[in-house]
Amino acid sequence: MSQPTRKRRWFTLCAITASAALVAIPAGAAPGSGGTPFGVRALAQLAAERGQSVGAVSPKAKADDDGGDDGNEADEIAEGADQYAEARTSPGIVAPGAYGAAWTSLTNLPSTGGSWRNITNLPYNSDDPRYRDYDSNSSGGSGNVTGRMAAMAADDDGYVYAGSAGGGVWRSRTGGGRWQPISDKLPAQSTGALALDGAGRLWLGTGEATTNADAYLGSGVYVLSNPRHGTFSTRSRVGGDELESTTVHELRFGGGKVWAATSEGVWSHSTKTLKGAWKLEFAPNPAYLPGGSLASDPSAAYKNIANDIAIDPKNPSKVVLAVGWRSGDDYNGFYTKVNGTWTRITSGLGDLPADADNVGNVTFARSADGSRYYAIDQSPEQLNTNPDSGLEGIYVSKSGSPTGPWTKIADYKGLAADGSALTSSGYMPGVQAWYNQFLTVDPANAEHVYAGLEEVYETKDGGTNWSTVGPYWNFGFPCWSIDPTKQTGDCSPTTHSDQHGVAIGSYHGKSFVYVGNDGGVYKRPLNGAQDSSGHATDWTSLNDGTIDTLQYYSVGVGKDLTYGGVSVTGGLQDNGQSILRSNDTVMGSNFGGDGGDTLTDPANGCNMAEEYVYLAIQVTQNCAVNDGSWVTDPSKITSYNVAPADNATGEARFIAPITADMKNSSTWIAGGRHIWVQTHGYAIRSGDEWTSVYDLGAGRTATAVAASGGKVYAAWCGPCNNQGFARGISVGNADGTGWHDITLPSTGADGTVPNRYLAGFAVDPKNADHVYLAVNGFSRHWTEGPGAGVGHVFESTDGGTTWKDISKNLPDVPTNSAVVTSNGGLAVATDLGVVYRAPGRTTWKRVGNLPAVAVLQLKLSPDGRTLYAATHGRGIYTIGVHDLH
């Protein structure tokens, strides 16, 4: 991927309007460059970032792009997903079936003793009144949150189903809340689509399609005949392996068939029998499909994207396919069958565009009575040229036919004027329409529609008038204040931002709309109340702690000097930084936005550093406890911007590595293009306190860092995608001496470090020259790319000069992190769980029975007795080290 052009939301001076007071924020106190009210997710800076990248997005997905996308998307979500994917696919293309084979191998490993304990299965309050410091989003109005929900389904008897991005499918029998997981036995926990058919069966399409074409792949489509009581199993898969290693955007029913819009075209299957293969209905570029002549092309994953299917309720043989990659390609458009052949619709759609440049991500919805069809369309051209929005519009077909004619009933400017929180130029409704979309119609009223983008919108008259019933947040509204005695001032609670799934159902005779977004699940009465601004007054968060789909990148553990025990913190996708004190019954959020890597002082858990993205680091020494009084007195800010310079230049990974020296917690190492060192520990107050001790070189960025006793290891990549992927290791000292690059072979020969993404180090606490290396991606058996090699865990006893493959019986699965346990064992985090090699042994065992969820980081407790695992979809788990045998 090319170096990110978008800069961190970084403020040297921030003017904040609150309680009619204009307050200047000291330069070193907090991030930002102008915006209100907080630094981390200030819309003014979001808009600035968006403006910087407009025009850099390639309008066409070409072979010389970064997998069809040049890495300069305006939105951090896109870049984060791209980088997550490239770590697993570089140096080439991964063949279908890799994760399924890895899951089978992992489940066949012998197990260690002990069992995992989930410690984050309690409410997580994003508006926790304890943490109203400058870098927190507390008081925004989202309330209790959990990880991203990609899809929703509900019936009329109070059963609600929520499909998460990385933590499986969950069921509530009480109209929302008191959740239970129902897909833990499946080899993929990423949800793309959920749908109830006319017989009450629940269909699950695995593989989330909202972010990146190959970041969260699935294992196919499954059906649950009795979803009120049963659970999904591998035996319930529909068809064969045709849809393995794809993403599923939508499942639709019509004409006795289920249709699937996938990353490899549109497929169909009979709903009467689950046996037999799926039928490929349409792929615009079949040569790029697995087995095709261009299957190994770098852009293959982006050449057959299907987004939705619209079936005419009056004539199920009349079907319209919405096909296209969000950044644009020549094949983008709407297709229907003409004389038995799928043909692009070039005219007759009315206001709905037919040209490839203006058809991107599309969502359809039809009314129950068949009188209306609705559609949301994201425009690649708008994404590339419009700094305000990527939304082309919302449309209605009043004929009820998906072939139209269609009439535009909303655009981004109109929605912004209808009570939206997104009214600033550069960040307006639909700015992330490629990522945020849902659409549904009230089954009792064909003109009552809910639409989801970044916010939730409602119309009761077919689109003539809209209300922003779920604003992005409440910041900036007259009703908002930071008052810690109130959740969100005098405003009503809202939903979390970034909408993905929606369903309408009933409980005890009352109808509700359920929405899924980056903060979990929310509901309100279908015909709920609004205030004078059109904001709903009756949203309820359903994230009660029984559903834990939190997507952690990191975990930190330190002694809780106030309450005893330990304090646990971690960085999350779009849910900031969580903090769990030893006496908490509710977790709080002390930093907002995306949380990346984290450092926590083992001796004092309130000393912590939180990375936002691209090495944007904030530090606090009081857990960021704050009552918000900084609004009128900036000296009371207790979190500080301490980013090294690679943040400002954009020369760092989306989630960049930071660490503390194992022997001296005051010495920190951070990796971007440069290896940065600072020696003031948690007392650091400025980014100027970092020193560059080594320049990895232009185009290279650190992927992992580790240090012990002053010796520093750094892994890097550059380029980091399959366009000439390269990797390496550099070793030196924290004082800047002795730096050199390790010579690694590029051939991927057996026993040598493969030419794949180097994800993590684990240094032996007794010997700094004894170090382990975790290697991401898949072996050459699955990866077609130069030097993919074999092996996932390597050992060096000479300070990194030479390496030995110690993978042995370790499954061929991406590895992300490793840690040497207090007894001399080695624990390794993989995309499908944790494995362990006992001291003196050469083979690996599976640790516990986590579902097929990615574990991105492992840490030990201050006393070394407990292992902590940060999962990207199921929260944080612990297990006793003494049980690992």
Side-chain angles (χ1 to χ4, degrees):
M1 173 172 293
S2 59
Q3 293 297 324
T5 61
R6 288 173 288 114
K7 307 300 189 291
R8 167 64 171 90
R9 301 159 191 175
W10 215 239
F11 295 71
T12 55
L13 186 69
C14 180
I16 295 185
T17 303
S19 303
L22 187 66
V23 180
I25 303 302
S33 69
T36 173
F38 295 120
V40 171
R41 296 199 60 181
L43 291 179
Q45 185 63 15
L46 285 173
E49 295 164 5
R50 167 89 176 139
Q52 288 171 3
S53 64
V54 164
V57 180
S58 172
K60 304 293 181 187
K62 300 176 182 176
D64 59 352
D65 287 343
D66 177 17
D69 187 4
D70 70 358
N72 292 321
E73 291 272 5
D75 305 285
E76 291 170 353
I77 299 163
E79 189 148 354
D82 285 344
Q83 293 193 12
Y84 186 93
E86 70 190 19
R88 287 150 177 79
T89 58
S90 295
I93 300 295
V94 177
Y99 275 105
W103 178 247
T104 298
S105 296
L106 187 73
T107 56
N108 286 333
L109 284 181
S111 296
T112 66
S115 58
W116 291 102
R117 182 173 72 92
N118 184 356
I119 64 168
T120 53
N121 58 344
L122 71 169
Y124 174 33
N125 185 5
S126 67
D127 292 323
D128 193 315
R130 295 174 292 178
Y131 306 109
R132 301 219 161 158
D133 209 352
Y134 183 85
D135 290 311
S136 169
N137 281 347
S138 179
S139 76
S142 297
N144 289 345
V145 297
T146 191
R148 184 168 72 245
M149 292 298 156
M152 300 294 303
D155 66 16
D156 289 332
D157 291 313
Y159 287 84
V160 184
Y161 308 94
S164 67
V169 181
W170 298 69
R171 173 179 59 216
S172 170
R173 295 185 172 103
T174 57
R178 299 170 64 182
W179 300 92
Q180 297 174 314
I182 60 173
S183 65
D184 282 3
K185 297 178 182 178
L186 297 185
Q189 296 297 307
S190 174
T191 304
L194 283 177
L196 287 164
D197 66 14
R201 297 178 296 180
L202 181 64
W203 295 70
L204 162 63
T206 60
E208 188 198 19
T210 57
T211 51
N212 183 282
D214 51 5
Y216 302 98
L217 297 178
S219 56
V221 173
Y222 300 81
V223 65
L224 189 55
S225 297
N226 185 7
R228 296 184 177 186
H229 303 287
T231 59
F232 286 102
S233 72
T234 55
R235 296 188 302 274
S236 63
R237 188 166 77 171
V238 180
D241 60 2
E242 300 83 14
L243 301 187
E244 188 164 332
S245 298
T246 68
T247 62
V248 178
H249 202 287
E250 292 286 356
L251 296 171
R252 303 293 188 184
F253 303 98
K257 295 191 290 187
V258 57
W259 295 71
T262 82
S263 54
E264 294 180 358
V266 178
W267 299 70
S268 70
H269 197 282
S270 169
T271 57
K272 297 177 182 178
T273 176
L274 305 183
K275 297 180 180 179
W278 285 83
K279 176 186 177 183
L280 177 60
E281 293 280 354
F282 177 64
N285 296 293
Y288 291 89
L289 294 175
S293 60
L294 297 174
S296 61
D297 188 279
S299 63
Y302 302 86
K303 287 294 187 179
N304 289 285
I305 303 292
N307 294 302
D308 208 348
I309 304 109
I311 303 167
D312 192 326
K314 302 168 186 175
N315 180 6
S317 65
K318 185 185 291 186
V319 179
V320 173
L321 312 179
V323 177
W325 169 233
R326 69 190 185 212
S327 295
D329 203 329
D330 292 336
Y331 73 87
N332 285 32
F334 298 101
Y335 294 77
T336 192
K337 272 192 173 180
V338 178
N339 298 322
T341 300
W342 291 104
T343 305
R344 187 200 303 266
I345 301 173
T346 58
S347 62
L349 292 176
D351 292 344
L352 187 64
D355 62 300
D357 288 342
N358 286 300
V359 180
N361 187 20
V362 172
T363 301
F364 291 119
R366 74 184 189 195
S367 62
D369 64 5
S371 67
R372 297 285 189 276
Y373 241 110
Y374 294 89
I376 298 177
D377 176 34
Q378 169 260 328
S379 163
E381 183 174 325
Q382 294 295 317
L383 177 66
N384 187 48
T385 63
N386 184 356
D388 295 334
S389 177
L391 178 67
E392 185 68 18
I394 303 177
Y395 302 83
V396 63
S397 169
K398 294 184 178 180
S399 70
S401 170
T403 58
W406 293 84
T407 302
K408 182 181 282 191
I409 56 175
D411 59 21
Y412 76 92
K413 291 181 179 178
L415 293 174
D418 291 326
S420 171
L422 307 181
T423 58
S424 301
S425 177
Y427 208 85
M428 299 180 75
V431 68
Q432 293 178 169
W434 59 266
Y435 171 67
N436 303 315
Q437 283 193 25
F438 73 56
L439 195 60
T440 193
V441 187
D442 182 344
N445 180 356
E447 296 197 332
H448 185 196
V449 179
Y450 280 88
L453 295 167
E454 296 75 32
E455 304 172 299
V456 182
Y457 307 98
E458 180 184 20
T459 179
K460 296 182 179 180
D461 54 16
T464 302
N465 296 283
W466 291 88
S467 299
T468 307
V469 291
Y472 192 90
W473 53 24
N474 288 325
F475 299 143
F477 294 143
C479 55
W480 174 83
S481 79
I482 202 168
D483 183 352
T485 66
K486 299 179 180 181
Q487 178 184 345
T488 181
D490 293 325
C491 301
S492 297
T494 184
T495 69
H496 195 286
S497 58
D498 299 336
Q499 313 304 317
H500 306 295
V502 65
I504 293 173
S506 299
Y507 184 54
H508 291 329
K510 297 180 179 179
S511 296
F512 295 91
V513 60
Y514 299 88
V515 302
N517 51 46
D518 273 13
V521 188
Y522 296 77
K523 77 172 182 181
R524 70 180 292 248
L526 181 59
N527 292 285
Q530 301 177 13
D531 63 20
S532 59
S533 298
H535 304 150
T537 62
D538 44 17
W539 285 110
T540 299
S541 169
L542 301 178
N543 308 304
D544 58 2
T546 63
I547 184 171
D548 184 0
T549 58
L550 291 168
Q551 295 174 281
Y552 282 95
Y553 289 110
S554 61
V555 58
V557 190
K559 292 181 180 179
D560 191 328
L561 301 184
T562 303
Y563 304 108
V566 294
S567 175
V568 182
T569 188
L572 290 151
Q573 188 273 326
D574 207 22
N575 282 301
Q577 184 94 352
S578 72
I579 178 168
L580 177 62
R581 307 293 296 275
S582 61
N583 68 329
D584 277 351
T585 57
V586 175
M587 282 197 304
S589 177
N590 56 359
F591 294 96
D594 281 285
D597 211 342
T598 188
L599 293 180
T600 303
D601 186 350
N604 182 354
C606 274
N607 288 338
M608 63 181 66
E610 181 260 0
E611 178 198 18
Y612 175 50
V613 290
Y614 306 117
L615 277 185
I617 301 172
Q618 289 79 237
V619 64
T620 182
Q621 291 189 281
N622 74 332
C623 285
V625 171
N626 200 296
D627 63 3
S629 57
W630 61 266
V631 168
T632 55
D633 183 357
S635 68
K636 294 186 177 180
I637 292 174
T638 55
S639 59
Y640 305 90
N641 157 28
V642 297
D646 282 351
N647 167 250
T649 60
E651 295 177 292
R653 300 284 289 170
F654 179 77
I655 302 298
I658 57 176
T659 193
D661 190 298
M662 295 176 65
K663 303 299 184 182
N664 181 359
S665 63
S666 292
T667 298
W668 295 2
I669 294 86
R673 168 181 168 169
H674 302 83
I675 303 304
W676 298 92
V677 173
Q678 71 91 8
T679 58
H680 300 155
Y682 298 90
I684 184 175
R685 291 295 180 267
S686 169
D688 294 337
E689 297 174 52
W690 292 92
T691 299
S692 172
V693 296
Y694 191 62
D695 184 351
L696 295 172
R700 294 177 175 178
T701 54
T703 59
V705 293
S708 181
K711 182 158 190 170
V712 181
Y713 296 89
W716 54 264
C717 64
C720 296
N721 57 20
N722 55 16
Q723 303 293 312
F725 177 85
R727 53 77 180 105
I729 296 173
S730 302
V731 179
N733 299 311
D735 63 6
T737 63
W739 278 93
H740 61 284
D741 293 341
I742 299 296
T743 300
L744 296 177
S746 59
T747 60
D750 289 4
T752 65
V753 176
N755 186 39
R756 303 201 308 269
Y757 188 92
L758 308 181
F761 294 103
V763 183
D764 184 343
K766 299 178 181 179
N767 180 1
D769 287 330
H770 185 201
V771 60
Y772 299 93
L773 173 67
V775 181
N776 211 289
F778 289 93
S779 75
R780 61 173 176 249
H781 178 78
W782 298 104
T783 302
E784 185 172 341
V790 296
H792 289 276
V793 182
F794 292 77
E795 180 181 18
S796 173
T797 57
D798 56 10
T801 302
T802 60
W803 295 89
K804 175 185 177 182
D805 184 1
I806 60 169
S807 302
K808 294 291 184 179
N809 65 325
L810 184 73
D812 187 1
V813 60
T815 61
N816 304 302
S817 172
V819 65
V820 178
T821 58
S822 53
N823 62 353
L826 182 64
V828 174
T830 81
D831 268 8
L832 295 175
V834 180
V835 294
Y836 177 72
R837 193 185 73 164
R841 302 293 178 88
T842 60
T843 57
W844 300 86
K845 292 184 177 182
R846 183 186 181 192
V847 180
N849 290 295
L850 290 175
V853 62
V855 180
L856 298 189
Q857 193 173 85
L858 298 173
K859 292 281 182 69
L860 291 171
S861 60
D863 62 9
R865 296 178 180 177
T866 305
L867 180 66
Y868 288 76
T871 78
H872 201 62
R874 290 297 282 268
I876 296 174
Y877 284 76
T878 66
I879 194 169
V881 171
H882 66 279
D883 291 322
L884 304 179
H885 50 72

